[in-house]
Amino acid sequence: MEEIGRIFGDVGLGQFHLILTQPVERGDYLAVADEQHGQVLCQLDDLHRKSDLDVERAASLGADDGGAIHQNLLGLARILGYRDDAGIVKCPTIPFRPGARVFRAEEPLIAEVLGLRHHAATGAYVGLLRNHQLRVELDINQLVQRHVSVLAKTGGGKSYLLGVLIEELLRHKVTCVIVDPHGEYGSLRFAAEKNGGHARFGVESQGFARQVQEYSPDVQLNANAKPLTFSLRSTDPRDLLVFLGLTNVKTFLGPLKQLLDRAAATNAEFSVADLVRLAEGGEGAVAETLHERLEYLEQTKLLGPVGTSLHDLVKKGEATLLNLRGVAPDVQELVVARIASTLFENRKKDKIPPLFLVIEEAHNFAPQQGTATSSRILKNIASEGRKFGLGLCVVTQRAARIDKSVLSQCTTQLILQVTNPLDLKAIAQSIEGLTDGMTEMIQSLPVGTALVTGGGYHTPLFCEVRPRATRHGGESVPIIVA
Ligand SMILES: Nc1ncnc2c1ncn2[C@@H]1O[C@H](COP(=O)(O)OP(=O)(O)OP(=O)(O)O)[C@@H](O)[C@H]1O
Ligand SMILES: [Mg+2]
């Protein structure tokens, strides 16, 4: 084992200071031999250089004077523990001795204490432990029974990582429904082009065309999707106003109800086309607006005599993409609200398989301030979904803007780079065991490195996300093409 330093100063039960004789990075794993329990795993949480150079001397330094400065590289390490005979992680109850030797931890110790093992049946392989060749796998049962959040600033790699997670769920035949506001996930059908990363991470490129189906309210814009239709009869007049894009309930609700009554009186199975016909020729601005919006709604085919069947929408072991590209924000909320409610009600009655519901841009569907039509049902699923085998995954670039009660129910968090102080604060408040050092590290994570908390692990881990087996659909679009 490589010795990298010695413990000095006052030594606590949770952490200790060490002087480093070898270069070690923040976040690296260390080992200290404990008299009673053998090797104990520790992690370097902070680093600084201490020197005797004062301001006056620094100001008068010549070009080659650096060698005369007395300096030490000092670190602060956190004790993660050892596994006892029963396999439980414990920390020593007597502090290490000052002067004790500190080593770079070897992979078997890291794997044993952190619990990094290959679980072919239940593990979702998301990447390798940073700077190591140890697989980080999330427990799939935990993902579906508890909930997941994926948090990062924009461009931080959320959709890429979520793609990795969905590939794993599809490999394990877990049913998924993905709310895809930008239409990015259709690329899960296609195999990625191989690069050097695939060999290092042991990933084969593979498409999932047979397990991915796509629905959209706008099939003209999203040509690969099947039409997502709701039944007109089961649509409440207020919801119908949202589908019509009419926010002024006072003005439009009465006239709309009259139209609906007239249509129902002539044909119980009336369609939007019937409503358009009835609205035609109405006098005044209100009637004209109603007619115009109904005509548009008819073109979208969003409401029909029969809605998309739930059993077409949810297929065991497959991923259903709800592609909402091009759909107005309030209609998106309503679509999410209706689908999430239907999934929850039918999951309760065990009419559909256990499933994983992913909400991209979740701050729009369950905002912390104000409400969206979908807020209430998403809060219900966050607090009760686990009892019924409905796992929720929320993805957002604004951790501070998503409903706190939803975020705090997510016991697995996948965090990529976050720099906004309000978002960092929201993350720190919702995660147990996050140290100040880790919160600082989140601000400078390179693209492709995630902090994983929960998911079956007792301590947060830094993970290099594995390359995608499928193509990534969320590439940034250059505004100026060179
Ligand atoms: N693990 C990774 N390995 C390689 N490239 C990555 C990785 N993660 C992200 N990228 C690249 O970074 C870019 C941004 O990633 P991504 O689209 O996932 O970000 P995002 O957080 O979803 O952004 P937005 O908030 O805009 O939706 C993409 O071009 C992607 O190819
Ligand atoms: Mg994205």
Side-chain angles (χ1 to χ4, degrees), residues 158-159 184 360:
K158 299 179 294 295
S159 303
E184 297 174 86
E360 260 271 9

Side-chain angles (χ1 to χ4, degrees), residues 72-224:
N72 285 309
L73 188 56
L74 304 181
L76 178 67
R78 211 158 32 88
I79 301 170
L80 299 180
Y82 63 93
R83 286 223 183 236
D84 72 2
D85 295 339
I88 295 172
V89 176
K90 289 192 172 155
C91 284
T93 44
I94 301 174
F96 298 137
R97 289 181 192 283
R101 297 160 77 192
V102 182
F103 299 90
R104 199 182 290 280
E106 293 187 335
E107 290 195 340
L109 176 72
I110 301 175
E112 185 195 349
V113 177
L114 298 184
L116 297 169
R117 248 168 294 146
H118 179 38
H119 303 274
T122 54
Y125 169 42
V126 288
L128 295 174
L129 189 69
R130 194 186 70 132
N131 297 342
H132 294 277
Q133 277 295 321
L134 295 168
R135 285 163 72 107
V136 177
E137 295 184 1
L138 305 175
D139 184 285
I140 289 183
N141 287 325
Q142 283 222 6
L143 295 186
V144 182
Q145 286 159 6
R146 317 277 171 84
H147 306 304
V148 183
S149 60
V150 181
L151 310 169
K153 67 187 222 176
T154 171
K158 299 179 294 295
S159 303
Y160 192 100
L161 174 54
L162 192 69
V164 166
L165 196 61
I166 294 165
E167 288 168 8
E168 289 295 316
L169 295 175
L170 288 177
R171 281 201 317 111
H172 288 86
K173 306 279 186 300
V174 176
T175 314
C176 307
V177 174
I178 300 149
V179 172
D180 180 10
H182 304 301
E184 297 174 86
Y185 290 94
S187 63
L188 283 162
R189 296 188 184 97
F190 311 112
E193 275 177 38
K194 271 200 161 186
N195 62 37
H198 285 84
R200 185 185 151 218
F201 285 82
V203 174
E204 290 295 327
S205 61
Q206 176 191 1
F208 288 90
R210 287 194 184 172
Q211 282 172 270
V212 172
Q213 56 161 0
E214 187 171 341
Y215 280 87
S216 177
D218 187 340
V219 288
Q220 273 167 340
L221 187 61
N222 304 302
N224 289 325

Side-chain angles (χ1 to χ4, degrees), residues 27 29 43 114 116 124-132 134-138 156-157 161 164-165 200-201 413-417 441 445-453 457 459-467:
Y29 292 100
Q43 187 173 26
L114 298 184
L116 297 169
Y125 169 42
V126 288
L128 295 174
L129 189 69
R130 194 186 70 132
N131 297 342
H132 294 277
L134 295 168
R135 285 163 72 107
V136 177
E137 295 184 1
L138 305 175
L161 174 54
V164 166
L165 196 61
R200 185 185 151 218
F201 285 82
Q413 278 110 347
L414 307 175
I415 304 160
L416 299 131
Q417 193 191 34
M441 283 176 80
L445 285 175
V447 168
T449 301
L451 180 70
V452 174
T453 78
Y457 298 108
T459 182
L461 309 175
F462 287 100
C463 167
E464 287 177 63
V465 176
R466 71 159 173 79

Side-chain angles (χ1 to χ4, degrees), residues 337-371:
R338 286 189 66 158
I339 290 196
S341 312
T342 310
L343 294 178
F344 194 29
E345 289 314 314
N346 285 277
R347 219 10 256 152
K348 280 183 188 167
K349 297 176 198 147
D350 210 16
K351 287 193 175 161
I352 49 173
L355 64 92
F356 192 63
L357 173 63
V358 178
I359 314 282
E360 260 271 9
E361 309 286 355
H363 53 280
N364 291 332
F365 298 105
Q368 168 66 10
Q369 278 189 344
T371 52

